[in-house]
Structures are given as structure tokens and as C-alpha cells.
Amino acid sequence: MAEPRGTELELTAAAAEWHAYPQPLWRTHPKYWPDIWRRSIQARIVTGTLLMSTVVLLLVGWVMMSQVTDGVLESRRLSAQAEAFAQLASLTRNINAADSTAVNQQLSQLVLGSNRPGLYDVVLSPIGNSGSNATRRTGLVESDSVPQVLQSSVNSNDSKLWDTYTVIKYTDGRTAPGLVIGSQLRVDSTRDKYAVYFLFPLTAQQETLDVVQRALVTAGLLLVVLLGAVAWLVTRQVVTPVRMARRIAERLAAGKLEERMQVRGTDDLARLAVSFNKMASNLQRQIRRLEDLSRLQRRFVSDVSHELRTPLTTVRMAADLLHENRDEFDPMARRSVELLQNELNRFEELLADLLEISRFDAGAAALDLEDVDLRDIVSRVLENHETLLERKGCEVQLDMPEPCRAQVDARRIERILRNLIGNAIEHSEGLPILISTAYDDDAAAVAVRDHGVGFRAEEAEMVFSRFWRADPARARTTGGTGLGLSIALEDARLHGGRLDAWGSPGEGAYFRLTIPRRPDVALAGSPLPARPADAVRVITEKSLVDVGAPYQKLTGGEEQ
């Protein structure tokens, strides 16, 4: 079962590495763009540079366009005022020089004479009841091109020129932006007053401003693209070594200790790569050394365990002979023989556990699967503990309403339950023990609950450690080796399952074994809760220890 798990890990790592390096933005679905934004420093820097440069260019373009527009229009306004002033003076002289009886007849000719086709048009309208009420104009210009506000200003003041910007309308439907300059015209001979308006089209100026605006927009877009490309190139030079370091670190974490970064140049990034490679080399040496030490330790334990079996067999034969004839000895010798027999039993259990641990360490443990009912295994274990139950005066309550079948190695599952139930009996302080079984479509579970001394939250993390005991000074009835829960944990892992522990001082302990019902099923939860239902105290995160599934995160069906 280890091989499929390893394959799954490799596929998961490959998928994670693929997601760590997103495709180009234009080849990525828009729904993944937020993920690219969160993962990629380069994307955030380039995007930020583009946004800031766009804002700056918009402000600069607006300021420049405003200054250019003001300059062009102000220049045209000054020249138009000079032209209008000159034409107004000429028109005044001509009207005053004309015969007073023929002023009205000559006004149209004088207005037409002051016109400069293509440069400006003239509109002349009487003020009040002066002379004829007809409005005279040149060209195709409409008289309503003059804004009412300008007309009011001209009619109210005869001492100055007034001007404003407007839209000049023509009788043929054309319109054009323009400048209107107006003033009063007084006829000395008749005392009549007329309003004269000079309408200067600003078509050429508008075309000039359009050209300037297009040039600014084009230059701004090119500058934004250029800044984006520069930001992309600069960040790429920085981000690429960082990504390489991350990729190498992930491979080192996956066990590929020979991976190193490429060193190019002598800059800061190159020195970072050199330091990273030195760190990787030191880690490799330390890990190799620890692996060698661990290998030597496992080999030593295995060799010692095997070598001790031969002298132990001889000692066992002699001890059995003495134990069979213990009634012939005096009381002191008889007691010594019984102690010798008990300690030899414990020694044999310790050797058997050490040999089993060495098999797990060497990866030589294998499963012999068969379809069994977990309730039958629980019953066999309870039968083996009948004597201890009677001695402790412990009541066992069973919550096993339905058959709980699974394909498991019955010998290993029985060993797990033997350890869990034996520990519960030993530490129950004579209080009842509850054993529960449950199953769902994918998993089967067995939980053992006692109400004894329990253990503290900080001790829950060490409960599966080898040779660890919550209270080394406490008298032991069963004579355990300190390896039972460690072996139980390895057996659970070998099945692809998990072993959870919960405890609280004064409230007892709770152990839950969860295993897949079939070898091709990956656990996604447990049919039994992660802590007992009768636990009343506040449960901290350290009070619940999940050590049975180190290669996958199990979610769903969990009671937190």
C-alpha cells in the first residue's frame, strides 16, 4: 500500500509545482486571474507600475493639454480682439461719414464691406428702437450664434469690447467652434445704437489641438507599454532566482538533496545562490549523517534482538524447569523463581516488540488482508483480558450494534486493540470502560474510552512515542514494554488508517482507531467522533492528537 501512496504524493507535488508557475495571463482563464495576482510578485509589480504610470501620465497629459489649449486660444483671442477693434473703428468712421438720411440704406453695405470671408463674419443688430429693426449679417452665419449673455453685456455697456466662446451655426447646417467679440456702434447723426458682433471660427485651432491630443495619447500609451516592459524585465531578473530558490527548496524538502541553484555572476542574487547552496550542502551532510546514525541504530536494535533470542531460549528452558519444580523449593527460592518467570515473559515481549519495530523501520512490514468483523476481534481481546478485568474489577460496556466488517490484517488489528484495551483496563482505576464500533461506506472505526487518570494536554503529543510513559513511577500490573502504542500507530498507518488520542486529567482517555474498509479507499473522515461525547471540560487544540495520517489531510466527518 505504500507504493500507491507514494505515487499519489508525486502527482500531488507535480500538480502543486504546476500551479506554482502560472501560465501567461493571456493564456489563462479570467477566473484564475485573482490566483495569479495573489501568487505572483511579478504580476503585482508590473500591474502596479502600469496603474501608477497611467495615473501619472493622465495627470501630466491633462496639465500639458490645458496649457497648450490656453496658449493657442489666448493667442487667437488677442489677435481677434485687435482685428475686431480695427474693424469696429473703421466701421464707425464710415457710418459717421455717410449721409444721415441714407444711413439705414448704407448699413448693409458697410457691414458687408467690413467682412473678411473665411476669417470672421459680422452680425449687426439694432439696440432698442434705433433705426431699422432688421438684423444684418454676413455670409451664412446664423444670428443666434451670439450667446444671450454676450448680447446682454454689449447692450448694457458701450465702452468696451466683450468676447466669449461659442458654437457658430450656419444656415447650411454646419457648426464650428468660435470666438464672438461684440461692442456697441453709435451713429452720431441719428443717435441710433447698434450691436456689432465679430464671429471668428476656431476650426484651425481645434484641428491643432486635436493633433496635439492624439500625439499626447499615442506617446502616453507607448510610454505605459514601455514602462510595463521595463518593470517586467526588471522584476523578472529578481523574481526568477527567487522562484528557482523556491523550486529547489521544494525539491530538497521532497528528499532530492542533490539539487542546487545555478550561480551566475557576482551580484547580490549570485551571492544568495551561493549561500543557499552552502546551506543545502550542510543540510545534506547533516541529513546523511542522521540517516546513517538512524540506520546503524535500527541495525543494532535488530541485531541485538536477534542475537538475544538464542541465550534467551536457553534461559527460558532453565527457568521453565525451575518454575515446574518450584513447589520443592523453600518460600524464598519459590518467590525468586516466580519473579524470574515474570521478568522473562516481559523480556520476551520486549524482544518481540523490538523486532516488530525494526521491521517497520526497515519497511519490511506487510499486510495479510482478510474480511473480518471487528466485533469478533474485540471479543477475542476481551477474552484474553478476563483475568485482568476481574482483578481490576472493571466493567466493560459494549456499543457494537451492527456488524462492522473490513478488509484488514486481523493479527495487526488485534494487536492494536490489545494495546488500547489493555491500557484502558490498567489505567481505568476500576471505573467502566466503553468500547464502540461504527462504520460507513469507506471507513470502520473502533473507540476505547476509559474514565481513569487520563493524561495532560502536553502529554498527549508524546503518548505514541517509543518507551514513553505518563508516570514512570506508577506501579504496572501488565508489565508493558512502552512500545505498544508505537507499534499500534505503525500498524494503523500500514493499513492507511489513523489512530487518534484524547485525554484529560481526571476524566480518562479516549483512543479511536479508523481504518479503510477496503485497501483501495483513501480515508476522508471517521464514523466515530474525535473526542468522547461525555467530555465536559474545555478541549484545547493539544488535547486532541491526530498522528495516524501523516501523509494526507483528512477532512469531513470530523467532530471538532
Side-chain angles (χ1 to χ4, degrees):
M1 295 182 64
E3 183 177 355
R5 186 180 299 164
T7 304
E8 180 180 354
L9 282 175
E10 292 176 1
L11 292 176
T12 303
E17 184 173 355
W18 186 88
H19 286 294
Y21 298 94
Q23 299 294 320
L25 190 63
W26 56 87
R27 294 175 55 186
T28 306
H29 195 278
K31 69 178 182 179
Y32 296 117
W33 289 356
D35 294 333
I36 296 178
W37 173 265
R38 289 191 298 268
R39 291 197 309 263
S40 176
I41 297 177
Q42 187 175 12
R44 292 199 297 270
I45 293 177
V46 172
T47 304
T49 302
L50 290 176
L51 290 177
M52 289 187 293
S53 60
T54 300
V55 171
V56 171
L57 289 175
L58 286 175
L59 293 175
V60 172
W62 177 77
V63 172
M64 292 181 61
M65 194 64 194
S66 298
Q67 292 180 350
V68 171
T69 301
D70 293 342
V72 171
L73 294 180
E74 185 64 19
S75 175
R76 180 55 180 152
R77 178 173 172 270
L78 293 176
S79 63
Q81 286 180 345
E83 182 72 19
F85 185 80
Q87 291 298 327
L88 182 62
S90 176
L91 184 60
T92 301
R93 289 194 303 270
N94 292 333
I95 289 179
N96 290 327
D99 187 2
S100 59
T101 59
V103 169
N104 291 331
Q105 291 78 9
Q106 294 180 357
L107 279 176
S108 298
Q109 297 179 358
L110 293 174
V111 169
L112 290 176
S114 64
N115 181 34
R116 299 283 297 276
L119 181 61
Y120 61 85
D121 289 297
V122 180
V123 174
L124 185 142
S125 60
I127 299 177
N129 296 321
S130 300
S132 174
N133 293 326
T135 299
R136 300 168 177 82
R137 63 180 184 272
T138 63
L140 300 177
V141 67
E142 294 280 359
S143 59
D144 58 356
S145 298
V146 181
Q148 289 294 330
V149 62
L150 181 65
Q151 295 180 20
S152 301
S153 300
V154 171
N155 293 339
S156 63
N157 192 312
D158 61 351
S159 61
K160 58 186 298 186
L161 290 175
W162 299 86
D163 61 76
T164 186
Y165 294 102
T166 186
V167 176
I168 301 176
K169 302 176 183 178
Y170 297 94
T171 56
D172 59 359
R174 292 182 298 114
T175 60
L179 174 67
V180 182
I181 300 177
S183 183
Q184 284 190 16
L185 176 64
R186 180 187 297 270
V187 180
D188 294 337
S189 60
T190 62
R191 301 297 181 178
D192 294 332
K193 296 181 180 179
Y194 296 90
V196 181
Y197 303 100
F198 299 90
L199 290 83
F200 294 84
L202 301 177
T203 305
Q205 287 73 21
Q206 183 64 48
E207 293 176 353
T208 301
L209 293 177
D210 291 340
V211 172
V212 173
Q213 184 176 11
R214 286 194 297 269
L216 288 176
V217 171
T218 303
L221 291 177
L222 292 177
L223 189 56
V224 168
V225 173
L226 180 60
L227 290 175
V230 171
W232 183 81
L233 290 175
V234 172
T235 54
R236 181 179 176 83
Q237 293 180 356
V238 177
V239 171
T240 298
V242 175
R243 287 179 176 173
M244 183 185 301
R246 182 180 63 89
R247 185 166 58 249
I248 298 300
E250 290 175 351
R251 293 179 180 176
L252 290 174
K256 300 178 181 179
L257 303 178
E258 296 79 11
E259 293 289 337
R260 297 294 184 271
M261 290 184 63
Q262 294 182 357
V263 180
R264 297 176 180 174
T266 57
D267 56 8
D268 293 335
L269 293 176
R271 290 197 293 270
L272 173 63
V274 172
S275 301
F276 186 92
N277 291 338
K278 289 182 179 179
M279 178 191 69
S281 300
N282 293 333
L283 287 176
Q284 183 181 16
R285 285 195 299 270
Q286 293 292 334
I287 292 174
R288 295 301 187 195
R289 187 174 65 85
L290 293 175
E291 287 178 349
D292 293 339
L293 291 176
S294 178
R295 191 181 303 110
L296 291 174
Q297 181 184 15
R298 292 195 299 267
R299 182 176 179 181
F300 174 77
V301 172
S302 178
D303 292 344
V304 169
S305 301
H306 283 88
E307 293 297 329
L308 287 178
R309 296 190 69 87
T310 300
L312 180 61
T313 303
T314 304
V315 175
R316 164 60 72 181
M317 292 173 60
D320 289 342
L321 181 60
L322 293 175
H323 191 266
E324 291 175 0
N325 299 289
R326 65 184 181 278
D327 295 336
E328 301 176 3
F329 303 146
D330 58 81
M332 185 67 69
R334 186 185 307 116
R335 179 57 180 165
S336 300
V337 170
E338 291 175 353
L339 291 176
L340 176 62
Q341 187 75 4
N342 291 335
E343 294 303 319
L344 281 175
N345 291 336
R346 289 187 56 206
F347 193 26
E348 284 186 335
E349 291 178 5
L350 176 60
L351 282 180
D353 289 344
L354 288 174
L355 286 173
E356 192 66 26
I357 286 291
S358 66
R359 293 191 190 97
F360 284 120
D361 291 339
L367 294 176
D368 184 12
L369 299 178
E370 56 180 316
D371 186 64
V372 298
D373 189 347
L374 297 183
R375 300 184 305 170
D376 296 337
I377 300 179
V378 172
S379 299
R380 287 200 302 269
V381 172
L382 290 176
E383 290 177 2
N384 295 333
H385 287 83
E386 282 184 358
T387 303
L388 182 60
L389 286 170
E390 293 177 359
R391 186 185 309 147
K392 286 285 188 179
C394 221
E395 178 188 356
V396 177
Q397 301 173 355
L398 299 178
D399 182 14
M400 301 185 298
E402 296 179 348
C404 186
R405 308 195 67 87
Q407 297 180 22
V408 297
D409 189 329
R411 179 181 66 87
R412 297 184 182 276
I413 298 299
E414 182 174 349
R415 180 165 58 191
I416 296 174
L417 296 179
R418 186 168 60 247
N419 279 287
L420 299 182
I421 296 175
N423 287 338
I425 296 173
E426 182 179 1
H427 305 305
S428 65
E429 304 294 329
L431 296 174
I433 296 174
L434 175 63
I435 302 177
S436 307
T437 60
Y439 69 93
D440 55 24
D441 293 338
D442 298 326
V446 180
V448 180
R449 169 76 162 112
D450 69 76
H451 298 81
V453 295
F455 47 81
R456 298 188 299 272
E458 58 271 16
E459 296 174 342
E461 299 179 354
M462 300 180 289
V463 74
F464 294 101
S465 300
R466 299 177 183 181
F467 299 107
W468 182 86
R469 291 183 178 277
D471 185 4
R474 185 173 59 225
R476 298 190 300 269
T477 306
T478 58
T481 63
L483 294 172
L485 289 179
S486 299
I487 295 175
L489 175 61
E490 296 295 340
D491 283 331
R493 286 177 173 174
L494 192 61
H495 282 82
R498 58 190 294 176
L499 188 57
D500 302 324
W502 171 91
S504 180
E507 292 188 10
Y510 176 82
F511 289 86
R512 181 188 65 177
L513 169 67
T514 307
I515 51 176
R517 297 187 64 187
R518 297 177 301 278
D520 58 342
V521 173
L523 286 184
S526 177
L528 288 176
R531 63 184 180 93
D534 58 350
V536 297
R537 296 191 178 182
V538 177
I539 307 301
T540 63
E541 292 183 358
K542 289 187 177 180
S543 297
L544 178 62
V545 180
D546 174 15
V547 292
Y551 303 116
Q552 55 185 339
K553 182 177 181 180
L554 303 176
T555 57
E558 291 296 319
E559 179 179 333
Q560 300 298 331

